[in-house]
């Protein structure tokens, strides 16, 4: 399959960006990455100042999760052209995710002696990148809405298959005493899963959402990222950020082991270099907030998950600017 003109434009942009490494790193960091990251910092500061309570932030986070994220996910999945995906790049990325997830799960269970559910979500935190709410907005600012198509493809992958997997498995693991029928009914009512299912189904059937509907989704979905990041900052402000051995180990796996695993798997086969570069860029992103959201929803301890999200968010700032 030939790379379409958007890919050519993106390659030109990347080439231009690499002409002055230091200057461009600072420019990308200050103009594209820090403005997005600052929303979480603002929430953290307002939480520490007790201007916004944890209860208020939890409510905001629930609204963003249950209402605004579906509005962001559905039009993305409904309107994307799957034929333009380099499937091998996505599958190689998924293979790296699976390897790192299993490694982290084993380490959390047998080395750090975590409970199974905490280990499950910590392992999720190492492979589920904050792509939808963090990497995607940043890459859109750098490369434009059309130039970051590989990131869009990974966002679709993580927002549908990966996210749905963790929503379903975490719910089933946390409610093992309930019947299959009750579990199925509860999952069928989940707005995020509904948005994922409808987005994929309508896309495969060739049914595109109408313009008024897209405007409504765009209006609501635009608030998903800033509200989620702000609420996350407020909630995380109540946690100790001092890194212990567990926090350090999980953060290292996320920031170093996953990108290395992705880099190695991408050596298999050939595809436009822009795909390899952007897939690696996505892998270098911070842990996704959804691991924390699921832990909060199912009352699983968050004293390790929360600092991991904070530290990976801070430490990934420069690596993202360099890779971008």
């Amino acid at each position: 399959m030939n790379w379409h003109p958007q890919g050519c434009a993106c390659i030109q942009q990347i080439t231009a960006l690499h002409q002055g490494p230091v200057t461009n790193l600072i420019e990308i960091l200050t103009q594209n990455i820090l403005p997005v990251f600052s929303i979480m910092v603002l929430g953290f500061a307002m939480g520490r100042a007790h201007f916004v309570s944890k209860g208020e932030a939890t409510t905001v986070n629930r609204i963003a999760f249950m209402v605004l994220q579906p509005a962001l996910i559905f039009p993305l999945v409904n309107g994307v052209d799957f034929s333009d995906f380099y499937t091998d790049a996505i599958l190689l990325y998924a293979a790296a995710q699976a390897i790192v997830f299993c490694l982290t799960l084993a380490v959390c269970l047998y080395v750090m002696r975590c409970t199974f559910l905490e280990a499950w979500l910590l392992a999720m935190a190492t492979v589920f990148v904050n792509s939808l709410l963090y990497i995607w907005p940043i890459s859109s600012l750098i490369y434009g809405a059309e130039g970051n198509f590989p990131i869009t493809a990974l966002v679709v992958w993580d927002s549908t298959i990966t996210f749905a997997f963790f929503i379903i498995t975490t719910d089933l693991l946390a409610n093992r005493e309930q019947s299959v029928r009750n579990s199925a009914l509860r999952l069928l009512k989940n707005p995020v899963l509904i948005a994922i299912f409808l987005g994929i189904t309508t896309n495969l059937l060739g049914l595109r959402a109408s313009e008024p509907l897209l405007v409504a989704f765009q209006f609501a979905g635009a608030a998903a990222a800033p509200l989620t990041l702000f609420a996350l900052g407020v909630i995380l402000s109540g946690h100790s950020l001092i890194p212990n051995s567990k926090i350090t180990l999980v953060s290292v796996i996320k920031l170093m082991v996953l990108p290395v695993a992705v880099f190695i798997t991408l050596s298999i086969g050939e595809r436009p270099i822009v795909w390899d570069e952007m897939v690696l860029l996505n892998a270098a992103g911070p842990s996704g907030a959804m691991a924390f959201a699921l832990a909060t929803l199912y009352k699983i301890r968050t004293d390790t998950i929360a600092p991991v999200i904070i530290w990976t968010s801070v430490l990934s700032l420069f690596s993202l600017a360099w890779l971008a």
Side-chain angles (χ1 to χ4, degrees):
M1 180 177 65
N2 294 325
W3 175 241
H4 48 71
Q6 295 174 355
C8 297
C10 190
I11 293 175
Q12 293 172 356
Q13 289 174 314
I14 291 175
T15 302
L17 284 170
H18 286 174
Q19 290 175 351
V22 176
T23 302
N24 287 318
L25 186 148
I26 295 174
E27 182 177 339
I28 292 170
L29 181 65
T30 56
Q31 296 187 18
N32 303 120
I33 297 177
L34 287 179
V36 176
F37 179 74
S38 67
I39 301 300
M40 187 163 64
V41 175
L42 176 63
F44 187 88
M46 296 186 79
R48 279 291 171 91
H50 304 290
F51 190 83
V52 180
S53 69
K54 179 181 177 181
E56 291 170 331
T58 301
T59 300
V60 169
N61 184 67
R62 181 174 177 80
I63 293 172
F65 182 80
M66 292 294 188
V67 180
L68 303 180
Q69 276 207 69
L72 186 63
I73 291 172
F74 173 78
L76 171 67
V77 180
N78 170 261
V80 74
D81 189 349
F82 291 116
S83 65
D84 286 333
F85 284 14
Y86 272 83
T87 308
D88 61 331
I90 297 173
L91 292 179
L92 290 170
Y93 179 80
Q97 283 181 306
I99 293 169
V100 174
F101 176 82
C102 292
L103 171 66
T104 310
L105 184 63
V107 169
C108 290
L109 287 174
Y110 302 113
V111 178
M112 298 191 293
R113 302 294 179 181
C114 300
T115 63
F116 190 84
L117 273 173
E118 184 188 13
W120 187 263
L121 293 182
L122 282 172
M124 175 188 175
T126 63
V127 300
F128 190 79
V129 180
N130 198 352
S131 55
L132 177 65
L133 303 177
Y134 193 75
I135 302 298
W136 194 37
I138 290 172
S139 64
S140 295
L141 288 172
I142 298 173
Y143 303 114
E146 296 182 348
N148 67 331
F149 188 76
I151 295 293
T152 301
L154 290 175
V155 169
V156 170
W157 164 259
D158 269 341
S159 299
T160 54
I161 307 301
T162 311
F163 195 21
F165 170 79
F166 282 114
I167 290 175
I168 294 170
T169 54
T170 304
D171 186 274
L172 293 177
L173 288 169
N175 296 284
R176 282 175 287 186
E177 72 285 353
Q178 296 189 14
S179 66
V180 175
R181 179 178 179 275
N182 288 338
S183 296
L185 289 174
R186 184 176 57 256
L187 290 170
L188 287 173
K189 296 177 182 178
N190 187 300
V192 178
L193 293 179
I194 292 172
I196 292 171
F197 174 77
L198 290 178
I200 294 176
T201 303
T202 53
N203 185 301
L204 294 178
L205 292 175
L207 302 174
R208 295 294 182 258
S210 64
E211 192 62 31
L213 192 60
L214 289 176
V215 171
F217 279 134
Q218 183 180 14
F219 181 73
L227 279 182
T228 299
L229 292 174
F230 178 82
L232 179 63
V234 174
I235 296 171
L236 294 181
S237 69
H239 290 75
S240 172
L241 299 182
I242 300 176
N244 55 31
S245 57
K246 289 170 63 176
I247 295 169
T248 302
L249 183 55
V250 175
S251 298
V252 167
I253 293 174
K254 168 65 211 67
L255 294 176
M256 299 184 66
V257 178
L258 179 63
V260 169
V262 169
F263 179 79
I264 293 173
T265 58
L266 288 174
S267 65
I268 302 173
E270 294 183 1
R271 63 204 64 85
I273 189 173
V274 65
W275 274 81
D276 288 349
E277 291 189 349
M278 287 200 173
V279 169
L280 187 59
L281 171 67
N282 191 78
S287 297
M290 292 306 103
F292 178 83
L294 289 174
T296 303
L297 182 63
Y298 293 105
K299 297 179 173 57
I300 302 166
R301 60 185 299 177
T302 60
D303 54 332
T304 300
I305 296 175
V308 164
I309 294 173
I310 283 290
W311 280 109
T312 57
S313 296
V314 172
L315 295 175
S316 66
L317 289 174
F318 292 97
S319 60
L320 287 176
W322 179 69
L323 287 170

